[in-house]
Amino acid sequence: MKLKHILICIGLLACPLLKAQSQPDSEQAYIATVTKRSDKILAELQIADSVKYKRVREIMVKQYSDLNKLQESEEQTEQKRAELHKHYVSQLASQLTPAQVEKIKDGMTYGVLPVTYKAYTDMIPTLKDEEKSQIMSWLTEAREQAMDGGSSEEKHKVFGKYKGRINNYLSGRGYNIQEERKNWEARMKAFKSNGR
């Protein structure tokens, strides 16, 4: 009876320890995941200086981790998110060229900005310069917000909202988006069937 009682007590004492061990494990797993993600994004930059590479990767991993903690906290506010964003971008800018910072921003948002911008300009070849500029401006704004999203779904949702705004803007400028898309698809089909 005493032995059983002792084993139960040991078991109960071990439970909080196991719980305490599992939390750092999940945090370590998250850090490993975002480190791998950061490496993948940084590969595009071809940074030869290994010290600089590690420094930039550290900045990126910390940002992912800070955003994750903010996501999980009760006090998640737009102001805190904005402060994190501003600090992160200024840290990247202190280490990298503006073009490299752009690549990191695109990498963190799955390259949606360049792909979407190219899609609009390919779909509507008659876009005027000010229309292209407006599309780029909104997509850039979307990317800045999407960078702080906690999941891929959240990031894509931000771009979806801005694509809706762009479509409304273009419709208001006299473009028939459905017609333009249909023509674009036909052009792409013809392009592929010509073996290009």
Side-chain angles (χ1 to χ4, degrees):
M1 186 75 174
K2 274 188 178 178
L3 181 63
K4 189 178 178 185
H5 185 69
I6 290 167
L7 289 172
I8 289 169
C9 288
I10 290 170
L12 289 173
L13 286 171
C15 287
L17 290 174
L18 289 171
K19 196 173 183 187
Q21 283 175 341
S22 72
Q23 279 179 324
D25 284 353
S26 68
E27 196 173 323
Q28 279 181 319
Y30 180 77
I31 296 296
T33 300
V34 294
T35 301
K36 203 182 283 182
R37 193 180 300 162
S38 300
D39 278 329
K40 196 175 174 185
I41 293 168
L42 282 170
E44 296 284 311
L45 275 61
Q46 299 175 331
I47 299 170
D49 180 344
S50 65
V51 175
K52 180 181 266 197
Y53 180 96
K54 284 176 186 162
R55 204 179 299 133
V56 174
R57 183 177 65 186
E58 213 171 274
I59 292 167
M60 291 176 73
V61 169
K62 185 175 181 340
Q63 177 69 357
Y64 276 120
S65 182
D66 288 347
L67 283 170
N68 189 47
K69 283 174 191 158
L70 186 64
Q71 197 87 9
E72 290 172 355
S73 80
E74 298 286 310
E75 310 153 23
Q76 188 190 163
T77 65
E78 283 309 310
Q79 188 187 343
K80 281 188 179 180
R81 203 182 267 227
E83 283 166 13
L84 266 181
H85 183 94
K86 193 177 174 186
H87 179 67
Y88 174 60
V89 172
S90 80
Q91 278 195 304
L92 288 178
S94 73
Q95 301 293 324
L96 304 166
T97 66
Q100 287 175 317
V101 173
E102 288 290 298
K103 279 189 174 182
I104 286 182
K105 289 179 177 187
D106 283 336
M108 287 183 78
T109 53
Y110 313 105
V112 175
L113 183 152
V115 167
T116 307
Y117 180 76
K118 187 179 183 321
Y120 274 112
T121 54
D122 285 354
M123 180 172 75
I124 312 172
T126 55
L127 282 172
K128 296 172 185 67
D129 285 344
E130 78 253 28
E131 291 162 347
K132 288 180 186 177
S133 173
Q134 182 59 75
I135 291 168
M136 181 55 88
S137 170
W138 276 331
L139 289 174
T140 303
E141 201 177 304
R143 183 183 63 186
E144 291 302 305
Q145 285 181 33
M147 276 171 64
D148 304 332
S151 66
S152 133
E153 189 184 356
E154 203 178 322
K155 291 172 196 274
H156 284 290
K157 202 172 175 182
V158 172
F159 278 104
K161 187 177 85 177
Y162 277 86
K163 284 180 200 172
R165 186 181 292 182
I166 291 166
N167 289 346
N168 289 341
Y169 164 75
L170 292 173
S171 295
R173 305 274 297 187
Y175 295 100
N176 181 333
I177 301 296
Q178 284 178 317
E179 199 59 41
E180 295 286 356
R181 184 172 281 121
K182 214 182 286 175
N183 293 339
W184 179 43
E185 285 165 2
R187 286 196 302 275
M188 285 196 299
K189 206 172 177 182
F191 187 76
K192 280 179 187 170
S193 67
N194 287 338
R196 290 183 189 169

